[in-house]
Amino acid sequence: MKKGLIVTGILLWLPFVRPAVSATVEKLLGDENDGSRTNQVHLIPLYDEEIAELDKISYKIFPDDEPLLPFSIRQTCSKCHSYQTISKGWHFNAVDANVAPGRTGQPWIFVDADIGTQVPLSYRPWPGAYHPEQLGITPFQFTCLFGRHMPGGGPGELESDNIDEIMRQGISGKQEINCLSCHNGHPGQDQIEYAFQISQQNFRWAATAACEFASVTGSAKKMDDTYDYLMPVDNKDAPTVAYRKDAFDHKSRVLFDIVRKPSNERCYSCHSNLDVSSNSPERWAADEDVHLMAGLKCVDCHRNDVGHNIIRGYEGEDTISANPLAATTSCVSCHTEGRLGAPVPDHPGIPPVHFDKLSCTACHSGPWPKEKTILTKTSRAHSLGTLGSNKSPEALPHILYPVFARRPDGKIAPHKLFWPAFWGSIKGEKVTPINIEVVKKTLNKILVKQKLPRTGDWPDLTWKDIDKGLRLLAETIEGKPVYISGGRLYYLPRNKLTVIFANPYGWPIVYNAAKPYLWPIAHDVRPAAQSLGVFQCEDCHSTDAPFFFGEVAIDSPIAEQQKPSKEMVEFQDISRKYAWAFAFSFVFRPWLKVIALCCCGILAGVLLLYALRALDCIVKTITGKN
Amino acid sequence: MFRTVSIIAFLATFVSIGTYCIVRPCCKECRWTPLAVLRRAVRVFTMLFLEQKLSPVGVLRKLVYLLALLCFLVLAVTSFYPVLIFKKPIHGYWLMLHATFAPVFAICLAVLAVMWAGNCRFNKNDWPWLTRIIERVTSVKSNGEEEAYSGVPGPGQKIAFWLIVVLALPLILSIILSMFSLFGTYWQELLLDIHRWTALAFAIAAIIHIYLIIRAKMKE
């Protein structure tokens, strides 16, 4: 009986053991450190991409190969580092539906001024962002559009299920994780070249082209569907690799200048920001983040292990992050422990309620709030640091900041914001964007003829254009077409163009699509002496304080809608009347202090006087005089 | 914890006052019929009016007292209601109302302290009262006789008055000092705690003081 039970137990347990065993990834040479802190010399052979037709074999590259192939990062690096483990890191796992999205982050922004569109995209289910598939953007197209500022992996490695794209993917290759984007310590690592190669659909060649010892010419985009990169052709457009003559040693190995901790400049390739308001100083005149000035590097806070689960650094990240340091690497954790010499703040005169209602970044990050929000550019949204990026301040997408808005956790924090603009359709209670290609084809006659400004700004659309566009789309698509822009929803009830104005909060579900997309910012961090509230309470609590009453511009391609703005308080879930009344009460605060102190003086005087009298009485009683 | 202690303290205060009212009514002829209770309620209400016999200083005293009473009610409600009912610290319009009435109350307290302190001095008439308490505690009888009510505040009122004056100081100072850029977060929290706990003690002292005044007036 007992034996039977044991056998049954083991049999029941077995199915759970098998997946657990198979899920364990074997650790490779470079996955574990033996404790040495010295830099490991990466004098290694290069391997080309594995070829499916040849039983997934990748070959070592020799300088005299014909044709000379680009090296595959996946094959070259995965000899010592587990590519599979690394590919689960935050920079590469957006397409993995099982990964918790965490706090809302910066989306990829699809911009097409021709059709009045700027729409937030993300493979992560962040509220307000759309899955690229919803706009008909395939992973291949996504890589073409945004691969310039992606470190590879993710959508760049997804197999296409579109027949035409399968052909093109065969020519361009996949955008493998490019370890060198971050870990190449050589000054010759050229991310501009990398972005250029992506624009030419040279995904397979991009990492090779960007490194210091190789160059690539040609364009996979220009090659026809029959092109095979393994077969040399006499075509000047065919992607061709040339390695520097001295790149290989006598054993056909190449020296990589690999650094464990990437430099800040590597991070800046994809994470640069620029304030483009006329009042904002250029980068050389702007102050640096206080942490960097103190000698820290980006990766001192944004840490990761071999799993590349990099710490994003927000409060509560530890609840979803597998990174064991997530709980101890945030503003609060470092600045309460004094870690790495972080000053432990005293916050004199700041009522503790502020720490419940505001994030640290509210007072310490981003630019000091002004009467109006300013336009800003980011690497990812504006292709900063790539060839031909539009340097005009008005270039789309229009991202505004700092917007002091309430986060889902209830704290107010500075955000970047942009107003989605797109053609959509109402299905049930939801507005979903219409396939971009359908919109382009349908609206070609009325919108594409618009002359686009050279600044990269919106064309001047009119109500008539929108009206026409919606009518044309009504004939083409299922559901009711709508146009969303500037926080408004345009549609055609009873065949008449109608616009719905609404507040960002408390909208019915159907209008949620018109809500601005916001994501919190944390940099640049200002020191205590430059933080909000350092001068007086009125930095925020005055009737015209930008923190509550600053103007948030409304951005729209429709000329008639460009003037109005909203106030910060509308994004804070606070009544304007209350915010104003509370701010106004600070006018009387000095009086309150004086009155209260005077009253205390009188009360203390009375107490002292009668205490002395009582003492006098007691003394007299004791001495027998009374 | 503060919420629990507050609820217990207020309940204990009101229950004690209620019990005391029943066990030791203000007058020997007092009955608990509905009409008698109503009559007493009307009597309490009329105490809010200004009596014609009052001198100008007396009128001022009463007006200041009534204003202080109003402020006390507003401050007590705005501070304890959110804590006890919503389980949230004072915030929003409650806070604004609280901060508006607080300086008026502080002024009234200062004026009342000046005007009442003389009357509330402890003197030899308070000795029998103290002796009576000692008797109850120690069960030792004294020969002294209890003095009848003579129009001046009783020792209970005096104690409550001086408690109010003493507690007013940390109550006001704790919140005013927190408004200056002097204290860091730790001290700010401590000051708020002092304000909170002092406010509770102050409110109870004030309630007892009000009750004793009403009781004394009813005895007249």
Side-chain angles (χ1 to χ4, degrees), chain A residues 92-129:
Chain A
F92 322 109
N93 66 9
V95 292
D96 185 348
N98 296 318
V99 173
R103 189 178 76 174
T104 307
Q106 180 182 179
W108 296 98
I109 304 174
F110 176 83
V111 177
D112 192 334
D114 275 336
I115 51 170
T117 295
Q118 60 173 21
V119 59
L121 301 177
S122 180
Y123 284 98
R124 302 186 197 277
W126 284 328

Side-chain angles (χ1 to χ4, degrees), chain A residues 345-353 355 357 537 575 577-579 581-582 585 589 592-593 595-604 606-607 610 613-614 617, chain B residues 91-93 95-96 99 102-103 106-107 109-110 113-114 117-118 121 162 165-166 168-169 172-173 176-186 188-189 192:
Chain A
D346 203 21
H347 290 122
I350 308 280
V353 69
F355 308 117
K357 299 198 169 186
C537 303
S575 143
K577 280 180 193 166
Y578 167 72
F582 193 72
S585 74
R589 185 163 279 219
L592 169 74
K593 289 178 187 173
I595 289 170
L597 286 177
C598 287
C599 292
C600 280
I602 293 169
L603 288 169
V606 169
L607 272 175
Y610 283 89
R613 280 188 179 189
C617 192
Chain B
H91 66 282
Y93 286 111
L95 179 62
M96 283 162 65
I107 294 170
L109 267 183
V114 171
R121 283 183 70 185
W162 286 113
V165 175
V166 169
L169 268 179
I172 301 170
L173 278 178
I176 290 301
L177 288 178
S178 73
M179 292 179 190
F180 290 94
S181 300
L182 298 171
F183 300 102
T185 308
Y186 171 79
Q188 288 271 343
E189 281 172 355
L192 282 182

Side-chain angles (χ1 to χ4, degrees), chain B residues 141-195:
Chain B
K141 290 245 171 190
S142 80
N143 297 326
E145 287 179 8
E146 188 177 340
E147 195 156 300
Y149 182 74
S150 56
V152 292
Q157 266 188 63
K158 287 178 183 177
I159 291 172
F161 170 80
W162 286 113
L163 259 179
I164 287 170
V165 175
V166 169
L167 288 170
L169 268 179
L171 183 67
I172 301 170
L173 278 178
S174 58
I175 203 68
I176 290 301
L177 288 178
S178 73
M179 292 179 190
F180 290 94
S181 300
L182 298 171
F183 300 102
T185 308
Y186 171 79
W187 292 103
Q188 288 271 343
E189 281 172 355
L190 187 71
L191 286 170
L192 282 182
D193 277 344
I194 291 172
H195 186 71

Side-chain angles (χ1 to χ4, degrees), chain A residues 266-333:
Chain A
R266 288 275 169 266
C267 306
Y268 287 151
S269 294
C270 302
H271 298 286
S272 288
N273 298 289
L274 175 72
D275 296 348
V276 289
S277 128
S278 53
N279 298 326
S280 296
E282 282 190 44
R283 195 69 239 178
W284 62 268
D287 292 335
E288 187 56 277
D289 187 293
V290 69
H291 294 105
L292 301 185
M293 290 305 288
L296 290 172
K297 292 168 81 175
C298 304
V299 291
D300 286 328
C301 298
H302 299 286
R303 299 180 184 202
N304 61 267
D305 61 2
V306 69
H308 283 67
N309 231 324
I310 198 161
I311 292 171
R312 295 174 71 197
Y314 61 89
E315 286 174 59
E317 188 181 3
D318 53 312
T319 56
I320 58 152
S321 173
N323 191 318
L325 296 183
T328 54
T329 314
S330 66
C331 309
V332 174
S333 58

